[in-house]
Amino acid sequence: MRGGERALIARHAGTVLAGQLAVMAFGVADTIIAGRYSEQALAALSVGAAIFVSVYVSLMGALQALLPVWAELHGGGRAGEVGRSVRQSLYLAAIAIMAGMAILLLPDAALRWTQVPAAMRGEVEAYLAVLAFALAPALLFRLFSTLNQSLGKPQLVTWLQLGSLAVKLPLSIWFTFGGAGLPAMGLVGCAWATLCVNWAMLGCAIWLLRNRAFYRDYGLWKRIEAPDWQQIRKFARLGVPGGLAVLVEVTSFTLMALFIARLGTAAAAAHQIASNLLAVAYMTPLSLAIATSARVSFWLGAGDTARARHACRLGFELTALCALFYAAAMAALRYELANVYSDNPAVIAMAGALLLAVAMYHFADAVQTFCVFVLRCYRVTLAPLVIYCAMLWGLGLGGSYLLAYRGLGPWTAMQSPLAFWIMSAFALVLTALLFGALLRWTMRQRA
């Protein structure tokens, strides 16, 4: 049973990872394309991507938090209840879409508060205005993805994500640099390519839900019911703290880009390289966390808490081993990796220095991500939110700002993006330790 459960988690995670890497390749491709177009475009992408990721991933977190609900229904053999639950989740998705679009269409306050240079703001605002209309299909596709993951069938999602990459890459190059009668759009061309691909992926997902036999037993296409506020409140109790926790985590990370922007284009470009590599590496622990939480919730729904704990242990072992491998690779190949993104020696040198701190950040990030996903299976969401606020916003982001611009204790102001990565990594290590202790205590209580 031990080997079978581990293999199942690994296969599920591997399938999710392939799709997630395809989606992450969108960002990698845009970073490389923007960097080759101009250093200014790369710096503007660093700021624009920070804002969009903060909005999208936070709202995505609220929807992704519904995975344990559907996985438990699946584990308990209650297929007929899945369709109604999914339809009710559309109301939550609609609220998320409206809130996210409003933020992306009106980013001026955030840009002024973080003192992003005025010369960069116009390009950032144009980039975000296009992405605002790519948000709805992205979040609705996330619901489709979460449903499939909860049912242990992520393959269709992965094939769509892989296929979308084959469309996204040439579109980004064409729209950015122009050609065949189309003028060069610069950075905003990457956003238009994302918009086109997101709507195409959603269209394919809807077609699959309508036509694949696998989905028929779940009754997804019955007429949508009026809002069931009791059900939506249950979603909110799980999804809102989960989404807010992701918001704190992501903004503590992405706000670095906005604060670093004032250090100049070389610093912003180096930070973008480091954050992009970290985001790619993060897909592996994220995939393992998704796969493990689906199995833990499945066994909880089936009433077998012992197997739920067993699945958790196996998933943690896989996550820790993969994180160690990625951290070692980042440290050993830091300058070679930076050179893939830029040929500017100053940017390469700065990015190489950042990647040493990024390696430690990644390992702690992998552990805390795994813990927070499994904690959701046990409906533990408020304590992680409190820990995130204190550690990531307080110690991480606040301490980073002080160390970078004002000095902290015996250390004078570094005036370098390295200050942000050092303090954020330290805060995330403490977060991972606290989450690990909380998960261990929770599983003992539910034994």
Side-chain angles (χ1 to χ4, degrees):
M1 182 182 73
R2 180 181 176 87
E5 187 72 34
R6 181 188 287 111
L8 196 154
I9 291 172
R11 284 197 301 271
H12 188 154
T15 304
V16 173
L17 176 61
Q20 294 287 355
L21 288 177
V23 174
M24 283 307 305
F26 288 14
V28 174
D30 285 354
T31 301
I32 294 173
I33 291 167
R36 298 300 177 183
Y37 184 79
S38 72
E39 187 175 311
Q40 289 72 27
L42 181 59
L45 176 64
S46 175
V47 176
I51 295 173
F52 177 74
V53 167
S54 297
V55 172
Y56 169 64
V57 177
S58 301
L59 297 174
M60 180 192 76
L63 302 180
Q64 182 75 51
L66 303 181
L67 186 151
V69 175
W70 299 332
E72 283 190 16
L73 292 175
H74 176 51
R78 294 177 285 171
E81 297 179 37
V82 173
R84 186 177 188 280
S85 182
V86 170
R87 289 191 295 276
Q88 288 297 311
S89 73
L90 294 175
Y91 292 109
L92 186 62
I95 295 170
I97 289 167
M98 290 187 289
M101 289 187 68
I103 296 170
L104 294 176
L105 290 171
L106 301 168
D108 186 59
L111 297 177
R112 284 187 285 104
W113 174 62
T114 52
Q115 300 180 26
V116 172
M120 196 185 293
R121 291 180 194 172
E123 195 168 11
V124 171
E125 289 174 353
Y127 175 77
L128 292 175
V130 176
L131 288 183
F133 295 94
L135 183 66
L139 290 176
L140 291 172
F141 186 84
R142 176 54 57 177
L143 272 185
F144 172 72
S145 175
T146 300
L147 173 64
N148 281 268
Q149 290 160 1
S150 68
L151 301 177
K153 296 289 184 181
Q155 296 88 347
L156 290 176
V157 176
T158 295
W159 282 115
L160 285 177
Q161 291 168 328
L162 290 171
S164 68
L165 179 60
V167 179
K168 164 68 175 172
L169 182 58
L171 280 182
S172 288
I173 295 172
W174 183 29
F175 291 170
T176 299
F177 292 96
L182 185 73
M185 299 183 191
L187 177 61
V188 75
C190 294
W192 277 108
T194 298
L195 183 147
C196 294
V197 170
N198 284 359
W199 280 105
M201 289 173 66
L202 178 61
C204 291
I206 292 172
W207 186 89
L208 289 170
L209 288 171
R210 292 283 297 183
N211 294 281
R212 295 283 293 195
F214 170 73
Y215 300 106
R216 289 175 189 164
D217 291 341
Y218 300 104
L220 297 170
W221 287 99
K222 293 181 181 178
R223 184 174 180 178
I224 189 168
E225 300 85 355
D228 180 345
W229 296 112
Q230 182 178 1
Q231 179 70 64
I232 293 172
R233 279 194 296 271
K234 289 180 180 179
F235 287 162
R237 282 197 294 269
L238 188 61
V240 172
L244 289 174
V246 173
L247 174 65
V248 175
E249 181 188 6
V250 172
T251 53
S252 69
F253 175 66
T254 55
L255 279 173
M256 287 195 291
L258 303 182
F259 288 128
I260 288 170
R262 70 184 69 173
L263 295 173
T265 56
H271 171 76
Q272 176 63 14
I273 291 169
S275 60
N276 196 261
L277 285 168
L278 179 67
V280 173
Y282 174 74
M283 290 302 103
T284 297
L286 175 62
S287 300
L288 285 164
I290 289 171
T292 304
S293 64
R295 294 302 295 167
V296 170
S297 291
F298 177 88
W299 289 121
L300 290 175
D304 195 333
T305 57
R307 287 195 175 186
R309 292 195 304 272
H310 179 66
C312 178
R313 293 189 190 99
L314 295 178
F316 181 81
E317 291 172 5
L318 291 170
T319 300
L321 287 172
C322 290
L324 280 172
F325 173 79
Y326 282 128
M330 284 182 196
L333 303 174
R334 56 191 183 277
Y335 294 112
E336 290 82 358
L337 290 169
N339 193 38
V340 173
Y341 291 87
S342 177
D343 54 8
N344 184 326
V347 173
I348 293 171
M350 188 175 295
L354 296 182
L355 286 174
L356 287 174
V358 170
M360 181 173 69
Y361 186 107
H362 169 70
F363 183 79
D365 198 21
V367 172
Q368 69 86 16
T369 296
F370 177 87
C371 291
V372 80
F373 265 76
V374 178
L375 283 167
R376 287 177 194 161
C377 300
Y378 293 94
R379 305 301 191 267
V380 178
T381 56
L382 290 178
L385 176 59
V386 173
I387 293 171
Y388 272 140
C389 289
M391 291 291 105
L392 303 189
W393 271 355
L395 180 61
L397 191 60
S400 296
Y401 185 88
L402 291 175
L403 184 59
Y405 295 116
R406 298 187 180 181
L408 185 64
W411 297 283
T412 58
M414 293 179 65
Q415 295 290 325
S416 168
L418 185 59
F420 288 88
W421 284 99
I422 290 173
M423 288 301 298
S424 296
F426 176 64
L428 208 58
V429 168
L430 294 179
T431 301
L433 291 173
L434 290 171
F435 280 3
L438 179 59
L439 178 58
R440 185 181 180 87
W441 179 84
T442 300
M443 293 178 69
R444 284 181 175 177
Q445 293 295 112
R446 307 295 173 87

